[in-house]
Structures are given as C-alpha cells and as structure tokens.
Amino acid sequence: QTSLSIWGWGSLGLVLFLVTFGPFAIFYFAFYILCFVGGGFVVTLLFGKSNSEKYLEQCEHSFLPCTSVGIPKCIEEMKREARPIKIDRRLTGANIIDEPLQQVIQFSLRDYVQYWYYTLSDDESFLLEIRQALQYALVQFSARSKETDWQPYFTTRLVDDFGTHLRVFRKAQQRIAEKGDQMKDQAEELVDTFFEVEVEMEKEVCRDLVCTSPKDEEGFLRDLCEVLLYILLPPGDFQNKIMRYFVREILSRGILLPLINQLSDPDYINQYVIWMIRDSNCNYEAFMNIIKLSDNIGELEAVKDKASEELQYLRSLDTAGDDINTIKNQINSLLYVIKVCDSRIQRLQSGKEIDTVKLAANFGKLCTVPLDHILVDNVALQFFMDYMQQIGGQAHLFFWMTVEGYRVTAQQQLEVLQSRQKDGKHQTNQTKGLLRAAAFGVYEQYLSEKASPRVNIDDNLVAKLAETLNHEDPTPEIFDDIQRKVYELMLRDERFYPSFKQNVLYVRMLAELDMLKDPSFRGSDDGEGESFNGSPTGSINLSLDDLSNVPSDETVQLHAYISDTGVCNDHGKTYALYAITVHRRNANSEEMWKTYRRYSDFHDFHMRITEQFENLANILKLPGKKTFNNMDREFLEKRKKDLNAYLQLLLNPEVMKASPALAHYVYDFLENKAYSKGKGDFARKMDTFVNPLRNSMRNVSNAVKSIPDSLAEGMTKMSDNMGKMSERLGQDIKQSFFKVPPLMQKTYSDPDHCRVAAPIDDNVDDNIPLRVMLLLMDEVFDLKERNQWLRRNIKNLLQQLIRATYGDTINRKIVDHVDWMTSPEQVADAVKRFRDAFWPNGILAETVPRRDKAIRMRTRVAGKTKLLEVMPDELKHIIGAETTRKGILRVFEMFQHSQLNKRMVYVFLERFLETLFPQNKFPELFNKLHSRSKQMQRYKQRLHSTQAPSLQKSLLVSHIRLLMHL
C-alpha cells in the first residue's frame, strides 16, 4: 500500500508540473542545475588561487631558504662554448722525445676512443682524464728507465735469452730427427716439441698457451697491462675501473698485440733480412745451391711456378739478331732451374736419404788432401783428431802437435836469450832450465814407460833422446827425428791416414772444406778466379746431396758438342767463349741444355782428370795455348774443331766405361752453372787455413815467452828462491802448453737441458764482445758438440780479432754504445718509427693483407740466398763450410714459425720488465701467468711419476732401517 501511494503521488506531481510549465520545463531545470554547479567550481578555483598567492608571499618573508638555482646554472654552462683545456705536455724531460710521444697519445685516443665517444657525449673531461692517466704512466716509466742500468740487459740477458731460444730449437730439431718417421704436419710437430724442450729447460715456466692460443694471448696482455697500470698509476686513478679498463684495452689490443704480431710474422722478418743486406747482389750459383738444399716443397713449387711463368713470357717474345741468343740462354737457365726443382721435389716426396758411405764408395777418391795440409788446417785437423781417437791413435797426433808447439816456443825463447845477452843481461841457466823442464814434460807424457797412452816408436830413438836430455842442453830440434818418424807412421800405416781417406769422416771433412765439387787441388796455370757468369770459385758448398744428382745409371747417355763460339769483353778483358750443347738421355726422358766455357776452363778440367786418372794422359790431348792473335776468327774455328774432337773422345763409351768415376767429373764440367777452378781456390783456402793456426800458435808462444820476463825481475830480488820458482814455472809451462789437447768435453751441468748461462768459459766474462761472439757461435754452429780443441782455437782467434780491432778499451766502447742506444736521440728515433709505422701521415694504417703463399715462399728463398751470400769465407775456413751453412740455415729456419717468434718476443719483453722493475717480483708473476700451460702440467705429471718410485723406495729403506734398529 505504501509503494502504491508513493507512485500515485509522484505521478500526480509530474502531471501537474507538465500542465503548469509545459513539456520543455525539464530541460530548463537541468540547465539551471548545471550552471549552479559550474559557477560554484569557478568561485572555488578563484578563491584558492588568491589564497595561494597570499601564502607564497608570506613564505618569501619567512625563515625558509631560497629555492636552488644549480640546475639552471648547469644548463647555462652546458650552453656556453667549451674553453680550451691546458695540458702539461712534459713527459720525459726531453722535448725531442715528448713531441712524438704526444702525437702517439693523440692518435691513439682519436682512433680508439674519440670515434665512438663523441656519439655519446660532447664533454671532453673523460678524454682528458684518460690522457692525463697515460701521461702520468709515461712519466713514471721514463723516470724508472733513467734509473736503470741497461748495459747488463743488452750485453748479457738479451744474448743469453736468444742463445737459449736457439738451443731449444736445435734440441727440438734433433728430437724430431731421432723419431725418423714421416709426420703429417711437421711444422705443428716442431712447435709442440719445441715447447716440450722449453719446459724441460726452464723447469718452472712454459709459454705454449700464450704463443699458440689467441684468446690466452689477449688475456695475458690484459693482465700484464693491468699490472703495469697498478705500478705506474696513482691509487686513485687505478681504482677508477672504467678509465683503467679503457687504458688497458688501448695498450693491450691497440698497441702491444699488433706490434707483437708484426714482429713475429715470418714474412715480415724475411723482408727485413732482405732489406738489411740489400746491398748484396744475389749470386746465380748461390741461388742454385739454395734450391738444391731446400727441404721445403712449398719453396720449390713457388720457384718452379715463377720460372715457368718467365719461361712462357720469353717464348712469346718475337726477337731476332743478337737478342735471340740472349733469350735462348735465359730459356736454358730457366729450364735448368725447373729441372732442379722437379728433381728436388721428387727426392723430398720419396723420402730418399743420402748415405755418405755409399757415396764415397761409388765415387772413390773424390779428392786427395795431403796429410801435411790436414795437420795445419783447423777444420780438417778436428776430423782427423776424431778419427785418431776412434782407433786409439790420438797419442801420435798429439805428440806431433806438441812438438810443433815446443819448437816454436824454444826458438823464440832462444832468440830472446840471445838479445838479452847482447844487452848484458844474463839468464842463460834459467831459460835453459825452463826448456829442459818443458822437454822432459813432453818426454814423460808421450815417450816414457809411464806414458799412457804411449807413442809406439823405435826404442833406440827414444833412448838416444833420453840420453840427450840428460847430458846436453835442449834445442828446438831435439824432437825432430822422432817427430819425423811419427809423421811417416801416420802417413803410411794403414790404420791411420790411408784408412782415414776411406772413412765417412773424410767425406764430411771434404764437405766442411767446400771441396766435394773439386776433384783435385791442382788446375791449369790459367786459373782465373771467375767463370763466365762472374760467380766466385769459392762458392757455397752443395753438401752431400749434390753427389746424388750425378748420373750413375749405365743407361744414361751423355752427348755434347761445341755449337758456337764468340768473343766476350768483360771490364776491358777480352776472351773467347765456347757454347756447349749437351744432350742427356735415359730410359724415360731426354734433356738438353747449353753451358759456356772458356779455354782456361777446358785446361783446368783436363789437368784435373789426368791427375786423377793417369791412363787418360796418353789418350786425351788438349789443344795447345796461343799467346798472340788468339782471338782471330780462323784460330777460334780451328780451336773449336779441336775441342770438339777432345769432347767426343772424352765421351766415348769405352773411355767412360774404363773409368767409372770419370762420369762425375764430366757431368760437373758440362752442367749449366759456373765452373769452379781448382788451383786458385785451393791456394786461397790453404793460405786462409794456415794463417789462423800460425797466428794462434804465435800468440800462445808469446804468452809463454812473457813468463820468463816477469820471472827475471823476481830473480834479481830473491835469488835464494830461484830453484823453486824455476821448477814451479817449468811445471806451469808443461801443464798449460805441452799438455794433451783436451779432446774430452769440459764438464758442464747437463748442458743440453739448461739455459744458456752467463759464465760460459774461463776468462771470458770480463770481455763482453768475446763472450757474446763465443756464446752465439756455440749455439748457432753447435761448437760444444764438437771437440774442444777447435773451440779453443776459435776463442783465441776471436780474442786476437777483438784485440787487434779495438784494443783493451772494447768494454768501455760497448758501454758507450749502450749509452748511445738509450740516448734521447735514439729513443726519439724509435718512437718516430713506431708512430710512422702505425700512423703513416697521421692516419691509422690499414691492416696489410696477407701476401700470397707463393710470394712468401719466394721471399724465403731470397732471404736464405742473401744470408748465405754475405757470410764471409773466413768463417767457413775457420769452422767449415758445411757447419757454417747448417748453422745459418738453422737460424733462418727458426724464424719461420710465428709461434716460436712470439715466444722469443715475449721472453725479451719479460726480461725487459724484470730489468726495469727489479723490486716488483716479475719472475714470480710471469710464472703464475703461465701456470695454466698444458706442457707444464704434463711435465709435472711426468716428474711426479718418475719421482714417486724413488720416494717409495727411500721410504721403504727407512722403514727397514727403523725395524732393524728396533
């Protein structure tokens, strides 16, 4: 009921409202309500605004501080132009160094930081902080460098590290050669073996990860740069990680890593070697020697491809007249190069080894070196020593050498005695006593019953000598009779010199003397030093491999004839030249080439073969010489015909069959290369061989001669001690000079598995250049593996050379040179070279594309050719041509592996930092940085496995002893 009443009343009110006001009254009513609400809102807003303004006015005059204006000021400062920043450009205290260093810093920041930083911000304060940090580090580095003594680093540590590196490489090569199997990747195997030997030698460190893994190398450089920044930067800057990381990356990735990669690139090293010796012209014969000795198939294929390319170009030329002869000669030379490359590639692929004993048996007596020449030749004498030691006859040789030394010393002593007697000084008894003591020393050591080993000689001669020593004054000729008998014994006894000529050591001696290609020592009287192409006769030895190229198969047929003749003018000297066309046929192939010979070459060749094969002297008749009008055309045609007849008779199958070894000489004469004459070459070699030995013996005798001088002064003051001092001096002479030449090796503490240490010999450390030269010669030419007699002679020769060149001030000059190397001018020059290499013309250098493999291989061949070409003949005469060649090629081969080059660079860098910061324990740091080496872990495992049994055995023994004691 209630709801009905509400609805009723509501409906009635609505009807009355509409009747009274009309139907639009509802809209007017809604409009009035909206205006009322809007007006109230407006009034409220205006009232609140006025009240807020009044409140703010009250706050301004209240105790509260003013509103901050920092943000507007910051915005205003950022809108202003940047003011120039003042930088202290002083770094090292030398303007000549600071200027290029500042440029390096500027270029580094520009190319490694600014190019991306300016895309983030225009504020240069961060760049300024990095620059100041770098400058501060350089200032500290410069100050520390000035306090460091660099002389020991350059003269001792650097040389020792290089010698150690070379020793490790040599041992790795020997270890691979001992395996004897054909490995899939010999270069990789060599690198692994190298680091195995390194850990065995270093004991505590191995750098295989740093040198073989790019990731580990980058990590090592980052750690190293961070350590350097810790040392050089102030603590506040070092704690700023962002700046420290930026500087670390710039140093490690931007500077050190590219520099190390470039220095360790074999192709860069080869180019640098060629540039260093650019003044030396490559010799054709030296180049062919390198090709014949190469053991790298890649090198041979690269040379062969280039020769084939040049051959195609020459054949495509359209020439006539005189040019065609020149082109034909070039084509023949290229064909010969290709033939040699093919032959060498086949040999390497087949794995054929050369047996020196078989070579000696096949070719018989290659050449005859007289015994008297062997005894005065440093190189030949060491091989004869080794042979005599093998058969137990070394006492005869040592006796002969000792008597030679005694004779020289005695003659000089007596000359000094005579000169002093003329001056009124009397030392007759003293000098004769010394000579008698020395003569008795020789007798006791080689001829007495107590001598061991004893020289087996006629007892009557020995008894006669003993009687002479007891009753007469000694003379320089007192041992001559016995020495003559010993010489005849060594010359004629089948055990000694005759058997030595049939031994493999004799063939190796010929290789060292560079005489394998010289069948005899004597040549024609017209012995010019050069052949047609200007190649010197004393060329580099072709090693034992050359003999294997001689055609020994009976099916090989050799034909030759003189096809043309002409007159050449070389530097104003006119001579006739004969072009010989040679054909060689065998069952599978046929070859043809041309070679050029002078009449003097024919004469020299004829003298050689007639000396070696006496039966040919009655068969072969060489056309005679003509002094005047020997360049007439008619005469040349007649000589050409006579020489052709000579060649045809020489190549007659019956003549060749009667003397099988003749084929080697004939092929060598007709080969397309420079012809080496015998007599001039031999005379030059013998002079060079004899002079060093005479000089060394003269110096030794002078040293012995100086002893009585100092003793005489003491005699005038202490006459009562004359007998004792004379006896003591005689003992010193006998022990120092008349002693058996020490064939036994000097005692070293495991020399094959230790670093090259500073003290390498007695009385050497004080002489810096002698120490450096002797150490390098030991490692490069492996002198310690040979008998110590040769090494002692080399040491004496080096001492003479250094003394004659620089005198006694050599050490002072070396110190001055080190000071010059570290002077501001030289340091500035090095910084400029670094700047120009990385930023040529102020622009960051682009990464040089890796050169083609064929070009790199040909660069290797050129580098080896240059190195062997510049080696002095004196060095080959001192230690042997074969040893010199192997040593130089070993050093060159060592630089052909980038991993090994990196190892050497890092060793130099480590030693540099250890020298610069001796108080910071860098050796321990480097051991920790290299501690993750796999080779090091394997070495420790092997060491533990080898030590464990011995440790268990010692524990067992101790337990047994304890039980026995109980």
Side-chain angles (χ1 to χ4, degrees):
Q1 291 178 355
T2 302
S3 62
L4 289 175
S5 61
I6 292 172
W7 280 102
W9 286 106
S11 299
L12 179 62
L14 179 62
V15 170
L16 292 175
F17 179 81
L18 292 174
V19 171
T20 304
F21 297 101
F24 294 100
I26 189 169
F27 295 105
Y28 294 123
F29 182 75
F31 177 72
Y32 294 152
I33 293 174
L34 181 62
C35 289
F36 176 78
V37 174
F41 179 76
V42 171
V43 171
T44 303
L45 180 62
L46 293 175
F47 179 77
K49 179 181 179 182
S50 61
N51 286 340
S52 298
E53 290 177 351
K54 293 179 181 180
Y55 179 75
L56 290 175
E57 291 177 359
Q58 293 176 0
C59 289
E60 288 179 0
H61 299 285
S62 67
F63 61 89
L64 294 176
C66 299
T67 306
S68 175
V69 294
I71 295 177
K73 287 187 176 182
C74 288
I75 296 174
E76 184 179 358
E77 289 289 339
M78 292 175 64
K79 290 181 179 179
R80 293 180 181 177
E81 293 184 0
R83 290 175 297 179
I85 302 174
K86 295 183 179 180
I87 301 175
D88 187 2
R89 304 181 66 87
R90 294 174 298 177
L91 297 175
T92 63
N95 293 330
I96 192 175
I97 303 177
D98 293 347
E99 182 179 354
L101 269 180
Q102 288 290 351
Q103 292 179 348
V104 170
I105 295 175
Q106 180 181 350
F107 293 155
S108 300
L109 293 176
R110 181 195 66 187
D111 296 327
Y112 295 112
V113 179
Q114 290 179 3
Y115 81 96
W116 59 264
Y117 177 76
Y118 282 141
T119 61
L120 303 178
S121 174
D122 295 333
D123 185 18
E124 295 187 356
S125 60
F126 177 71
L127 300 177
L128 177 62
E129 292 293 334
I130 293 181
R131 189 182 189 109
Q132 289 178 345
L134 287 173
Q135 291 189 170
Y136 185 86
L138 287 174
V139 170
Q140 297 298 319
F141 184 87
S142 173
R144 190 68 192 89
S145 300
K146 294 177 182 178
E147 299 173 359
T148 304
D149 181 13
W150 292 108
Q151 185 265 333
Y153 173 76
F154 285 107
T155 60
T156 301
R157 305 194 70 176
L158 205 64
V159 180
D160 290 347
D161 289 332
F162 179 79
T164 301
H165 186 84
L166 184 57
R167 175 177 295 182
V168 174
F169 180 77
R170 177 165 49 84
K171 296 301 177 184
Q173 280 187 325
Q174 293 177 358
R175 189 168 298 183
I176 289 179
E178 290 173 357
K179 294 181 181 179
D181 53 348
Q182 295 293 330
M183 290 162 288
K184 297 181 179 179
D185 191 348
Q186 190 170 1
E188 183 177 354
E189 182 70 16
L190 177 62
V191 172
D192 294 339
T193 307
F194 178 91
F195 288 110
E196 287 180 6
V197 179
E198 182 197 18
V199 72
E200 294 175 1
M201 187 171 294
E202 297 280 359
K203 307 295 184 184
E204 297 179 354
V205 65
C206 184
R207 302 169 182 84
D208 56 337
L209 283 182
V210 176
C211 300
T212 57
S213 173
K215 183 178 179 181
D216 291 310
E217 182 181 11
E218 293 177 4
F220 172 80
L221 288 177
R222 287 194 185 99
D223 295 339
L224 182 60
C225 290
E226 195 150 351
V227 172
L228 292 177
L229 293 177
Y230 173 78
I231 296 174
L232 299 174
L233 290 180
D237 291 342
F238 182 78
Q239 296 301 326
N240 187 343
K241 292 186 177 180
I242 297 178
M243 186 186 66
R244 185 175 82 222
Y245 291 161
F246 275 119
V247 176
R248 183 193 69 182
E249 292 300 315
I250 292 175
L251 292 177
S252 62
R253 297 289 302 276
I255 296 178
L256 287 180
L257 188 60
L259 180 62
I260 292 173
N261 287 336
Q262 183 177 12
L263 293 177
S264 58
D265 183 18
D267 189 49
Y268 171 80
I269 296 175
N270 295 339
Q271 295 180 62
Y272 187 72
V273 168
I274 295 174
W275 176 81
M276 287 181 62
I277 50 181
R278 59 190 179 277
D279 295 334
S280 173
N281 296 323
C282 286
N283 184 278
Y284 170 77
E285 188 173 359
F287 170 73
M288 293 307 304
N289 292 344
I290 292 297
I291 297 300
K292 293 181 180 181
L293 295 171
S294 176
D295 56 357
N296 189 307
I297 297 179
E299 294 178 0
L300 298 170
E301 290 178 345
V303 174
K304 176 185 173 183
D305 294 341
K306 189 64 177 178
S308 301
E309 179 182 341
E310 292 292 329
L311 185 62
Q312 293 178 1
Y313 171 75
L314 291 176
R315 286 176 172 173
S316 65
L317 296 178
D318 185 12
T319 57
D322 296 335
D323 293 338
I324 193 171
N325 293 327
T326 303
I327 293 178
K328 285 183 178 180
N329 295 337
Q330 295 177 359
I331 290 175
N332 291 333
S333 299
L334 291 173
L335 289 173
Y336 180 70
V337 171
I338 295 174
K339 181 195 69 172
V340 173
C341 290
D342 287 334
S343 175
R344 189 62 181 163
I345 290 173
Q346 293 176 2
R347 177 179 299 281
L348 293 175
Q349 290 177 344
S350 64
K352 183 179 178 181
E353 297 294 336
I354 301 172
D355 190 343
T356 57
V357 179
K358 291 183 179 180
L359 288 175
N362 290 337
F363 299 107
K365 185 173 57 174
L366 296 176
C367 61
T368 301
V369 183
L371 180 60
D372 54 346
H373 289 298
I374 292 178
L375 295 176
V376 296
D377 181 313
N378 283 335
V379 179
L381 184 56
Q382 63 168 317
F383 286 96
F384 192 54
M385 276 185 179
D386 294 339
Y387 174 77
M388 295 293 281
Q389 188 180 23
Q390 290 179 4
I391 64 173
Q394 65 270 25
H396 299 77
L397 178 59
F398 293 161
F399 172 78
W400 188 93
M401 295 171 59
T402 304
V403 171
E404 284 292 308
Y406 170 83
R407 181 186 298 108
V408 174
T409 305
Q411 288 175 352
Q412 294 187 358
Q413 290 293 319
L414 293 178
E415 290 176 0
V416 172
L417 179 61
Q418 293 175 0
S419 63
R420 289 187 175 182
Q421 287 178 347
K422 293 179 180 179
D423 297 336
K425 299 179 181 179
H426 300 283
Q427 270 186 318
T428 306
N429 295 332
Q430 175 193 345
T431 303
K432 291 182 178 180
L434 294 175
L435 293 179
R436 180 175 286 105
F440 267 108
V442 176
Y443 174 82
E444 292 291 336
Q445 189 157 0
Y446 296 104
L447 302 174
S448 67
E449 297 293 337
K450 300 178 181 179
S452 178
R454 184 174 182 268
V455 176
N456 295 322
I457 204 68
D458 188 2
D459 293 337
N460 294 329
L461 291 176
V462 176
K464 182 179 178 181
L465 174 64
E467 183 178 356
T468 303
L469 288 174
N470 291 326
H471 299 91
E472 298 180 9
D473 293 333
T475 62
E477 299 80 15
I478 192 171
F479 293 102
D480 282 3
D481 293 339
I482 298 181
Q483 186 191 28
R484 194 177 301 108
K485 289 291 184 181
V486 170
Y487 176 83
E488 293 177 356
L489 181 65
M490 291 190 296
L491 179 64
R492 307 188 184 283
D493 195 319
E494 288 295 330
R495 297 175 300 163
F496 302 140
Y497 177 68
S499 297
F500 173 63
K501 292 192 294 183
Q502 306 299 324
N503 194 276
V504 64
L505 289 174
Y506 185 79
V507 181
R508 293 177 181 172
M509 181 194 73
L510 296 180
E512 293 290 357
L513 296 179
D514 201 7
M515 293 180 182
L516 277 179
K517 296 185 67 61
D518 295 335
S520 70
F521 282 180
R522 297 176 59 189
S524 69
D525 294 333
D526 186 21
E528 294 292 335
E530 295 185 353
S531 186
F532 169 60
N533 64 354
S535 301
T537 58
S539 60
I540 301 168
N541 178 43
L542 295 190
S543 182
L544 301 176
D545 189 40
D546 292 330
L547 299 179
S548 60
N549 293 328
V550 178
S552 58
D553 191 349
E554 295 180 356
T555 61
V556 176
Q557 298 180 1
L558 198 63
H559 301 279
Y561 63 93
I562 300 177
S563 57
D564 197 6
T565 183
V567 178
C568 296
N569 191 320
D570 186 11
H571 300 288
K573 184 176 181 180
T574 304
Y575 53 87
L577 198 65
Y578 300 92
I580 306 175
T581 302
V582 185
H583 294 267
R584 186 176 66 173
R585 298 187 183 91
N586 54 28
N588 300 323
S589 63
E590 179 179 354
E591 295 177 303
M592 184 189 73
W593 66 87
K594 279 191 176 183
T595 187
Y596 298 87
R597 295 289 179 259
R598 300 172 55 177
Y599 174 78
S600 60
D601 299 335
F602 277 96
H603 189 277
D604 181 86
F605 171 71
H606 178 75
M607 295 297 294
R608 290 186 179 190
I609 61 176
T610 52
E611 287 182 1
Q612 293 293 321
F613 310 97
E614 297 179 357
N615 58 324
L616 295 180
N618 300 324
I619 301 175
L620 298 175
K621 300 297 181 182
L622 188 70
K625 294 183 179 181
K626 185 178 181 181
T627 305
F628 302 101
N629 298 326
N630 54 5
M631 297 298 164
D632 293 343
R633 191 64 189 175
E634 296 181 0
F635 175 77
L636 292 180
E637 289 296 331
K638 181 180 182 301
R639 176 171 282 182
K640 170 186 172 183
K641 186 182 300 183
D642 294 340
L643 290 177
N644 256 326
Y646 177 85
L647 278 178
Q648 303 312 315
L649 183 60
L650 177 66
L651 296 175
N652 188 293
E654 297 298 331
V655 176
M656 301 290 288
K657 187 175 181 180
S659 305
L662 179 63
H664 164 64
Y665 307 128
V666 174
Y667 183 81
D668 181 74
F669 177 74
L670 296 177
E671 198 172 359
N672 184 19
K673 62 180 181 179
Y675 178 69
S676 299
K677 297 178 181 178
K679 183 175 181 179
D681 189 34
F682 170 72
R684 184 171 60 256
K685 290 175 182 174
M686 286 300 107
D687 291 340
T688 313
F689 290 155
V690 174
N691 289 337
L693 184 59
R694 288 176 178 171
N695 292 335
S696 61
M697 294 181 66
R698 188 179 298 112
N699 284 331
V700 173
S701 61
N702 289 336
V704 177
K705 181 180 67 176
S706 63
I707 295 176
D709 297 339
S710 60
L711 184 63
E713 298 175 0
M715 287 293 122
T716 58
K717 299 179 181 179
M718 297 179 295
S719 58
D720 53 337
N721 294 328
M722 181 183 298
K724 294 181 179 180
M725 295 186 71
S726 299
E727 182 180 358
R728 189 185 309 119
L729 186 58
Q731 301 254 344
D732 293 339
I733 294 177
K734 181 175 67 174
Q735 294 177 1
S736 62
F737 185 75
F738 301 108
K739 181 178 175 179
V740 177
L743 267 176
M744 294 181 295
Q745 297 282 347
K746 185 177 179 179
T747 304
Y748 296 95
S749 57
D750 196 11
D752 293 341
H753 297 88
C754 63
R755 287 180 52 84
V756 176
I760 59 174
D761 207 346
D762 300 333
N763 302 322
V764 169
D765 291 335
D766 294 336
N767 194 326
I768 296 175
L770 177 62
R771 180 194 175 280
V772 172
M773 295 174 67
L774 189 58
L775 186 146
L776 292 179
M777 293 190 70
D778 276 343
E779 298 305 326
V780 172
F781 303 111
D782 200 10
L783 296 182
K784 287 188 177 181
E785 299 296 330
R786 307 170 73 172
N787 64 57
Q788 292 300 297
W789 176 86
L790 174 65
R791 187 174 182 271
R792 188 175 65 250
N793 277 346
I794 292 175
K795 174 186 171 183
N796 293 334
L797 291 174
L798 292 178
Q799 284 178 326
Q800 298 169 29
L801 175 64
I802 293 170
R803 188 178 297 111
T805 306
Y806 298 102
D808 297 329
T809 62
I810 179 63
N811 286 354
R812 179 67 259 172
K813 292 183 179 180
I814 288 181
V815 173
D816 294 340
H817 185 71
V818 173
D819 293 339
W820 174 79
M821 291 173 58
T822 56
S823 63
E825 292 78 11
Q826 294 302 312
V827 174
D829 186 61
V831 176
K832 290 178 182 178
R833 288 199 301 268
F834 174 80
R835 178 200 61 191
D836 297 338
F838 279 80
W839 291 279
N841 299 322
I843 302 174
L844 182 64
E846 298 180 358
T847 303
V848 180
R850 188 174 178 84
R851 301 201 305 168
D852 183 69
K853 180 181 178 181
I855 298 178
R856 288 185 279 116
M857 290 294 105
R858 288 195 289 270
T859 305
R860 287 183 56 171
V861 174
K864 286 193 286 188
T865 304
K866 287 271 191 179
L867 275 179
L868 289 181
E869 183 67 21
V870 299
M871 293 310 299
D873 289 340
E874 289 76 11
L875 182 62
K876 295 186 290 184
H877 297 152
I878 293 173
I879 62 177
E882 189 77 2
T883 300
T884 302
R885 179 186 62 81
K886 289 181 178 179
I888 297 301
L889 294 183
R890 180 188 298 118
V891 175
F892 185 85
E893 180 64 25
M894 181 183 69
F895 287 112
Q896 304 310 307
H897 305 273
S898 59
Q899 300 94 331
L900 308 188
N901 296 337
K902 281 188 176 182
R903 188 261 177 193
M904 185 165 59
V905 172
Y906 280 117
V907 168
F908 290 163
L909 178 61
E910 292 173 9
R911 297 296 177 267
F912 175 82
L913 295 177
E914 291 173 10
T915 305
L916 189 63
F917 305 102
Q919 72 280 2
N920 292 104
K921 299 181 180 180
F922 265 97
E924 298 178 5
L925 172 65
F926 289 129
N927 290 345
K928 292 180 181 179
L929 293 178
H930 296 301
S931 59
R932 294 186 298 107
S933 166
K934 297 180 181 179
Q935 294 287 356
M936 194 70 196
Q937 296 173 1
R938 295 172 189 168
Y939 175 74
K940 290 181 178 179
Q941 292 176 358
R942 293 196 302 267
L943 192 64
H944 178 73
S945 61
T946 55
Q947 291 179 351
S950 60
L951 180 60
Q952 293 176 358
K953 182 178 180 180
S954 61
L955 290 176
L956 180 60
V957 172
S958 62
H959 289 165
I960 293 175
R961 290 178 178 175
L962 179 60
L963 291 175
M964 293 177 65
H965 177 71
L966 294 176

